[in-house]
């Protein structure tokens, strides 16, 4: 009996290994005229949805590029490693990418914490990294000094927080806001902080600041408390799953306030999950989904994977574009040359104009898009930039 | 294989070994299950970096001091929970670990959930190795003394331990204290190696992984724990290219080990010099392994 | 006043989710004396079964509901056969069971991520969404539904345990496995039954959970709360698990609603430890002196 | 010289009274027997003396010091230890380790002495090991030194448990059914062993036993319990004649084995 069990388990193990081997096929062996580009991000864990979308995008774009002759005459091969969203794993993965796989540049990760943790390794091995949605300011600038090998294509938390607060206060005319955020999530905490800062600076009032913890699914206790304070707008800076649940629960409790979110919101799943609950809500986005270029990318992605990209896919797309531009201008695959070229990138991406600032390594002056949910659809409102 | 990558994995394995040694004392030798060890690690990590970077203490001092802070907290928690039995103690430590994480998420002085970046890199393979050697020797000497034997007695048969005059509660407290110090030191090293700290690093998953390592190595074996921490740090790295299948395999492997070799790698035995000599055919007392207590 | 009532209702509703999960877990504990960490994984699978039965196979809700329960039952039994039975045969200490359970839980979660994918899936609307409103207090229809289904299944479970022969055998085995084996009770089939029942409960809990909060591979994570609730109530005691769940749900709600939502878990965990200091075996657990 | 004194000792579990108002004394250097039918409260009394159960009412004095509110390990430290009816060895440890573990009271080095391998540690540890070795020899267990306790035959497990108790150099040794499951030959050996222990270790012994041969053969004083109460007390000859005892045990039939 026991022997049979062990045999079964061995078979199971072999099967999983085999399955894994298969799923890995297509990445193919690397020859002399192949150049590797690394990607790290979460393929497992609770942020796997976004990581998977990034990797899919990169593989799609690399495939297209290779089909049209490659880059500087070489084929691009994407090597992607899972980090589970864990900073320790990210460091290991980067070490492996730069030293064993010898990638010329890295795209990702999708978590600021991982992006901050890998800085030291990048600097030691002199390989540049372009973060996709790592929005913590400290990813590229620490103590007033720019980190030489960290870049990103997204705007940062203070900017997004200011955009959301500014739009709520100046354009929508709200004066009483409540904030519900995820206390255990870095992104949510950052965005909440900067929203509150700007909103209060403008003279608005934060009537409630409530928190939940990643993994929670029920927000009614906090929402009931928020309801008692009668806010005009509730800012919900977290990802779309929690956003949909909390929006639904808010409506169930009879909360009529306008809901507002950040770039964690945009996803087809949000509309599907939340339905009417998010009708009339606003959120800050990196791009206008109706833009023809965006549509084009969406179609290509859908054709290959049979589903729509998540927001991270668009940013991974632009990170790839930025990298290609830098390689072309550097006319070399030398990581340091790529790094130097990255500092002077100025291209038009699908998420807007990307002009990397030399002192910040951020895309400077990138405008945010304000999206309103109307009739179960994302309606682009306007590009909105904060003027200091 | 490239040394830079291997070195990184080895350092991480070394850090894990320290944490697992501590947990091995608690779980493997004293028989108490803790799901809150990541909490002690977090306390050690944050205090070590605080001592080092905000108060300017030297690196080694701050790491050890961080460990001691974790130890002090364990005394407090231990007083409350060590009288509890089996799963009750387990869940209480689980609650403790999660609570520590929540506190760190909220405390903005340390960066909150967004983490504490920009910690200088002060850990290399040599540092970790030194900490490991000291850690292993201390534990080995402790286990082979009357104190270690008393802890083993608590694991084996608590009632009998009591009637032969062992203050079982006191030894549980000591065991928890020492293992928390180990965890704290491992945390400090991790902070100075990653150059980044974040409460999320010290989740329940980390506690679970360490417990799995202890069991995998074999209850009551120091060399087993060391070996297991090493293997189970390296294994996910080797499986890295399996992407999403990585932890499917890991999970299956854990079940497989429990079923096929529940006594763990070493099954309560230790690798000793004598044993190695025996394998190599060097004459002498030809025993491959020796039970703890006879080194 | 309204707010307090509303919060109480919120607490009850959260508590009933915990209760449905905690009962299956506590049932297994009462026989096996270990924390079955794979329970969360089975709940998650239950949610997926239900989802696919409804969306892919277009089954009517109740068929899918029961079907998901039965499939989860099979999974739970399979887990028992694969991960626990060999250990049982060897009389392994409880820690091995726990580790094996952790391995199983890790396996199930990541297997789902690897095969079905990490995306969130939404159940189609089955019950009308808009809540009842009673003078400014809102009660969700789905909550009422969940409360009812939990109550019905709990009563059925209690009936089964108290009034059937197999149920009596379960009780006897929980009380003293060796003696009941000597009395001719087939321990193995009792254990299978218990895992099956636990699995069935996990399955329907998963479907209800999925309907309420969507389906994704990390659903199982929430079962940590039900473990804690079961400890509150006293491990292995079914009424304890239910009462513990409601207490935890209400405490969490009140802390979030009136004290500080940022520190909710800190406060509820401290309360847990405090309760255990004064009642080391939980609220309903029996306190026994060591037998020499 | 009185060593142990029980005064109106009472223990209740919920509504059930397991031991009620028991009084007796044990004299130094004696071998005393505690007998009675199953459920008479014998083992409960052992659990009360060793501090495993908390006393409900009454008092226990050891060398005229009250011990009924002390923790088990403190009581053991004062010189009382025991064996168990259902053997409780450190099952996965070797015979030698079982005994060595129990020797800990004969040393007083601290954790840092051990961690740094200081002189005190090395000297005391050497002494402990010598003592454990001698003890094994005395108990005729040397041949089994490196065997895992669990793998020993039943009789040897019992003997090992006694050896482990003796490692404490106890003043009072409580033996709970040491002859259970032994054949007459083994029982005779055990009787000799108990006498030898008394003589060589100078310790007082209180023994629970159903084998009347053993009780009558070695005990100086016998205490008979029934339904938690003391029924009779006295030397073997007197107990054998006691009509109350005879009735409690066998109705009319006389003492078993006597």
């Amino acid at each position: 009996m026991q022997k049979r069990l062990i045999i079964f388990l061995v078979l199971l193990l072999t099967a999983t290994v085999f399955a894994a081997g298969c799923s890995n096929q297509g990445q193919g062996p690397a020859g002399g005229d192949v150049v590797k580009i690394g990607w790290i991000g979460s393929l497992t864990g609770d942020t796997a949805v976004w990581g998977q979308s990034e990797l899919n995008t990169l593989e799609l774009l690399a495939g297209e590029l290779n089909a049209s002759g490659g880059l500087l005459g070489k084929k691009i091969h994407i090597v992607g490693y899972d980090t589970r969203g864990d900073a320790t794993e990210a460091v290991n993965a980067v070490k492996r990418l730069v030293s064993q796989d010898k990638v010329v540049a890295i795209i990702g990760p999708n978590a600021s914490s991982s992006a901050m943790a890998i800085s030291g390794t990048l600097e030691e091995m002199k390989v540049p990294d372009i973060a996709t949605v790592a929005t913590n300011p400290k990813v590229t600038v620490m103590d007033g000094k720019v980190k030489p090998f960290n870049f990103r294509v997204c705007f940062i938390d203070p900017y997004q927080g200011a955009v959301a607060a500014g739009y709520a206060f100046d354009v929508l005319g709200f004066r009483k806001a409540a904030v519900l955020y995820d206390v255990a999530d870095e992104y949510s905490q950052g965005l909440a902080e900067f929203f509150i800062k700007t909103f209060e600076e403008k003279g608005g009032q934060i009537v409630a600041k409530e928190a939940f913890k990643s993994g929670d699914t029920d927000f009614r206790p906090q929402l009931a408390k928020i309801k008692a304070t009668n806010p005009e707008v509730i800012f919900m800076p977290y990802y779309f799953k929690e956003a949909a649940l909390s929006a639904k629960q808010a409506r169930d409790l009879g909360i009529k306030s306008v809901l507002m979110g950040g770039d964690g919101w945009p996803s087809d799943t949000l509309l599907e999950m939340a339905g009417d609950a998010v009708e009339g809500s606003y959120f800050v986005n990196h791009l206008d989904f109706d833009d023809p270029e965006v549509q084009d990318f969406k179609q290509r992605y859908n054709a290959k994977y049979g589903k729509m990209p998540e927001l991270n896919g668009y940013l991974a797309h632009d990170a790839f574009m930025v990298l290609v531009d830098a390689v072309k201008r550097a006319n070399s695959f030398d990581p340091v040359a790529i790094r130097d070229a990255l500092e002077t990138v100025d291209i038009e991406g699908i998420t807007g104009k990307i002009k990397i600032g030399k002192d910040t390594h951020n895309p400077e002056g990138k405008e945010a898009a304000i999206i309103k949910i109307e009739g179960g659809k994302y309606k682009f409102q306007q590009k909105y930039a904060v003027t200091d | 294989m490239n040394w830079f990558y291997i070195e990184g994995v080895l350092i991480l394995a070394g850090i894990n070994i320290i944490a697992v040694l501590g947990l091995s004392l608690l779980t493997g030798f004293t028989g108490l299950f803790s799901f809150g060890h990541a909490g002690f690690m977090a306390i050690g990590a944050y205090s070590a970096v605080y001592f080092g970077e905000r108060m300017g203490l030297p690196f080694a001092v701050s790491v050890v001091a961080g460990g001691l802070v974790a130890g002090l907290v364990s005394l407090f928690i231990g007083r409350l929970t060590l009288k509890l039995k089996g799963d009750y103690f387990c869940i209480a430590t689980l609650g403790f670990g999660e609570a520590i994480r929540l506190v760190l998420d909220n405390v903005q002085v340390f960066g909150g959930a967004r983490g504490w970046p920009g910690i200088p890199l002060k850990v290399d393979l040599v540092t970790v190795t030194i900490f490991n050697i000291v850690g292993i020797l201390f534990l080995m000497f402790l286990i082979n003394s009357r104190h270690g034997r008393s802890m083993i007695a608590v694991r084996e048969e608590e009632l009998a331990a009591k009637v032969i005059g062992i203050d079982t509660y006191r030894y549980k407290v000591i065991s928890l204290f020492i293992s928390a110090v180990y965890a704290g030191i491992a945390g400090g090293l991790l902070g100075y190696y990653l150059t980044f700290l974040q409460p999320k690093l010290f989740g329940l998953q980390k506690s679970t992984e360490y417990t799995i390592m202890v069991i995998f190595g074999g209850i009551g074996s120091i060399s087993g724990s060391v070996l297991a921490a090493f293997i189970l740090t390296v294994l996910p790295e080797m499986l890295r290219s399996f992407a999403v299948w990585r932890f499917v395999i890991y999970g299956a492997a854990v079940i497989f080990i429990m079923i096929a070799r529940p006594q763990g790698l070493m099954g309560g035995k230790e690798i000793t010099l004598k044993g190695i000599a025996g394998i190599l055919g060097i004459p002498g007392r030809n025993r491959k392994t020796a039970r703890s207590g006879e080194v | 006043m309204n707010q307090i009532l509303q919060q109480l209702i919120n607490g009850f509703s959260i508590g009933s989710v915990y209760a449905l999960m905690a009962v299956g877990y506590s049932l297994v504990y009462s026989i096996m004396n270990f924390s079955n960490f794979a329970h969360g994984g089975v709940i998650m699978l239950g949610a997926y079964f239900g989802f696919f039965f409804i969306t892919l196979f277009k089954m009517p809700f109740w068929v899918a509901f029961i079907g998901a329960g039965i499939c989860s039952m099979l999974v739970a039994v399979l887990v028992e056969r694969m991960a626990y039975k060999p250990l049982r045969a060897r009389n392994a200490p409880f820690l091995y069971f726990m580790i094996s359970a952790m391995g199983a839980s890790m396996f199930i979660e990541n297997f789902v991520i690897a095969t079905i994918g990490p995306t969130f899936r939404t159940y189609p609307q089955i019950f009308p969404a808009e809540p009842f409103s009673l003078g400014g207090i809102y009660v969700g229809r789905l909550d009422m539904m969940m409360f009812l289904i939990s109550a019905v299944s709990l009563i059925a479970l209690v009936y089964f345990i108290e009034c059937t022969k197999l149920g009596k055998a379960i009780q006897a085995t929980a009380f003293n496995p060796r003696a009941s084996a000597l009395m001719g009770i087939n321990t193995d089939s009792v254990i299978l039954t218990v895992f099956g029942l636990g699995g069935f409960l996990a399955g329907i809990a998963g479907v209800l959970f999925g309907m309420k909060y969507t389906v994704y591979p990390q659903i199982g994570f929430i079962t940590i709360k039900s473990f804690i609730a079961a400890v509150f109530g006293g491990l292995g005691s079914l009424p304890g698990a239910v009462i513990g769940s409601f207490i935890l749900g209400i405490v969490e709600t009140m802390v979030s609603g009136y004290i500080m939502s940022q520190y909710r878990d800190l406060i509820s965990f401290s309360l847990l430890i405090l309760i255990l200091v004064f009642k080391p075996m939980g609220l309903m657990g029996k306190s026994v002196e060591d037998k020499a | 010289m009185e060593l142990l004194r029980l005064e109106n000792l009472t223990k209740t579990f919920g509504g059930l009274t397991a031991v009620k108002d028991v009084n007796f004394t044990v004299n130094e250097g004696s071998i005393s027997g505690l007998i009675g039918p199953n459920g008479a409260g014998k083992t409960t009394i052992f659990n009360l003396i060793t501090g495993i159960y908390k006393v409900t009412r009454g008092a226990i004095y050891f060398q005229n010091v009250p011990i009924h509110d002390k923790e088990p390990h403190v009581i053991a430290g004062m010189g009382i230890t025991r064996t168990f009816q259902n053997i409780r060895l450190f099952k996965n440890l070797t015979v030698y380790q079982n005994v060595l573990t129990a020797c800990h009271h004969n040393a007083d080095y601290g954790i840092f002495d051990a961690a740094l391998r200081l002189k005190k540690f090395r000297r005391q540890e050497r002494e402990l090991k010598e003592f454990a070795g001698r003890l094994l020899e005395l108990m005729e267990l040397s041949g089994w030194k490196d065997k895992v306790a669990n793998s020993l035959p039943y009789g040897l497990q019992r003997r090992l448990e006694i050896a482990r108790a003796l490692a404490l150099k106890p003043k009072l040794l409580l033996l709970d059914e040491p002859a259970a499951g032994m054949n007459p030959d083994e029982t005779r050996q055990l009787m000799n062993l108990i006498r030898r222990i008394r003589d060589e270790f100078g310790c007082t012994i209180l023994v629970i036993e159903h084998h009347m041969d053993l009780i009558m053969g070695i005990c100086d004083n016998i205490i008979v319990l029934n339904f938690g109460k003391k029924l009779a007390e006295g030397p073997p000859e007197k107990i054998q004649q006691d009509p109350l005892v005879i009735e409690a045990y066998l109705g009319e039939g006389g003492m078993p084995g006597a």
Side-chain angles (χ1 to χ4, degrees), chain A residues 2 20 24 81-82 84-85 88-89 91-92 95-96 99-100 113 124-125 183-184 186 189 193, chain B residues 1-2 4-5 12 105-106 108 113-114 193 196 198 200-201 205 209 237 240-242 246-247 259:
Chain A
Q2 192 181 335
N24 241 24
Y81 289 138
D82 173 33
R84 290 196 282 170
T88 318
E89 290 256 0
V91 170
N92 279 340
K95 289 199 165 174
R96 177 156 173 161
S99 70
Q100 196 168 331
S113 51
E124 206 178 335
M125 297 304 282
V183 68
E186 40 180 324
Q189 218 178 61
E193 182 190 319
Chain B
M1 289 295 250
N2 180 289
F4 181 69
Y5 172 51
L12 202 63
D105 276 332
N106 274 299
Q108 295 302 326
R114 277 179 293 164
Y193 165 64
F196 177 74
Q198 192 190 21
K200 207 177 148 193
L201 285 171
Q205 191 165 20
E209 275 171 22
E237 288 303 319
R240 190 165 279 291
S241 34
F242 289 113
R246 200 152 57 112
F247 285 91
I259 294 174

Side-chain angles (χ1 to χ4, degrees), chain C:
Chain C
M1 189 57 218
N2 260 2
Q3 202 195 339
I4 291 190
L5 268 178
Q6 181 70 60
Q7 293 290 33
L8 265 177
I9 290 171
N10 293 342
F12 260 104
S13 144
I14 294 172
S16 62
V17 176
Y18 294 162
L20 201 52
M21 299 185 182
V23 167
Y25 160 74
S26 214
L27 187 65
V28 171
Y29 189 94
S30 69
I31 299 284
M32 304 283 288
N33 276 312
F34 81 97
S35 290
N36 180 15
F37 286 115
H39 196 64
V42 180
I43 289 176
M44 184 259 291
L45 284 178
Y48 273 101
F49 284 133
F51 174 79
F52 286 117
F53 287 165
I54 292 175
T55 54
L56 276 185
F57 302 111
K58 310 279 177 234
M59 288 185 193
F61 172 72
W62 288 108
V63 179
F65 183 70
I66 302 294
I70 291 171
C71 289
S72 310
M73 181 193 277
L74 294 178
V75 172
V77 168
L78 192 72
V79 169
E80 200 279 327
R81 287 284 109 143
M82 303 295 305
Y84 308 141
K85 190 169 186 238
L87 294 175
R88 215 145 41 73
R90 213 190 288 106
N91 256 330
F94 88 108
L95 15 125
Y96 292 104
F97 285 91
M98 265 163 85
I99 299 290
S100 201
M102 282 177 209
S105 146
M106 204 183 284
F107 180 87
I108 295 174
E109 179 188 323
N110 286 289
F111 188 79
V112 168
I113 292 181
T115 51
I116 304 178
T119 35
F120 309 110
R121 287 159 203 272
T122 322
Y123 270 74
Q125 189 116 45
I126 293 152
F127 300 109
E130 61 290 0
F132 293 110
S133 164
L134 304 158
I137 296 164
Y138 295 87
V139 186
R141 280 170 208 264
L142 193 54
D143 289 335
M144 306 260 292
M145 200 67 209
M146 279 187 82
F147 191 82
L148 269 179
I149 294 177
S150 314
V152 167
S153 43
L154 288 186
I155 291 168
L157 180 68
V158 170
Y159 173 82
F160 176 80
I161 288 183
E162 294 291 335
C163 302
T164 64
K165 218 174 141 192
L166 200 52
K168 291 245 196 298
I170 291 174
Q171 276 183 305
T173 309
F175 188 71
N176 189 340
R178 253 187 59 206
S180 41
L182 288 175
M183 296 302 286
I185 291 173
N186 182 346
T187 319
D188 199 53
S189 67
V190 164
I191 286 172
L192 266 193
T193 313
V194 162
F195 270 92
L197 280 175
F200 186 83
L201 285 174
I204 60 174
V207 174
L208 293 172
F209 191 90
M211 277 164 57
K212 196 167 164 173
Y213 302 120
T214 72
V215 189
Y216 51 96
Q218 289 82 24
I219 291 182
F221 184 75
I222 204 85
T223 42
I224 286 196
K225 290 289 177 64
S226 57
F227 293 158
I228 285 168
V231 170
F232 255 130
L235 277 169
S237 152
L238 297 189
V242 174
I243 290 171
S245 299
F246 282 113
I247 291 179
L248 185 62
I250 289 170
V251 164
E252 282 189 347
T253 308
M254 291 303 156
V255 172
S256 294
Y258 296 99
I259 305 176
M260 233 187 150
S261 53
Q262 280 84 352
Y263 285 100
R264 182 196 63 201
D265 284 5
L266 177 68
I267 297 173
S268 47
F269 287 143
S270 308
L271 186 77
L272 168 83
I273 292 179
L274 209 68
I275 286 190
L276 290 181
V277 167
F278 292 106
K279 293 207 67 129
M281 306 300 278
L283 295 172
M284 311 279 284
K286 272 173 265 148
S287 172
V288 280
E289 281 182 278
D290 266 320
K291 275 248 171 108

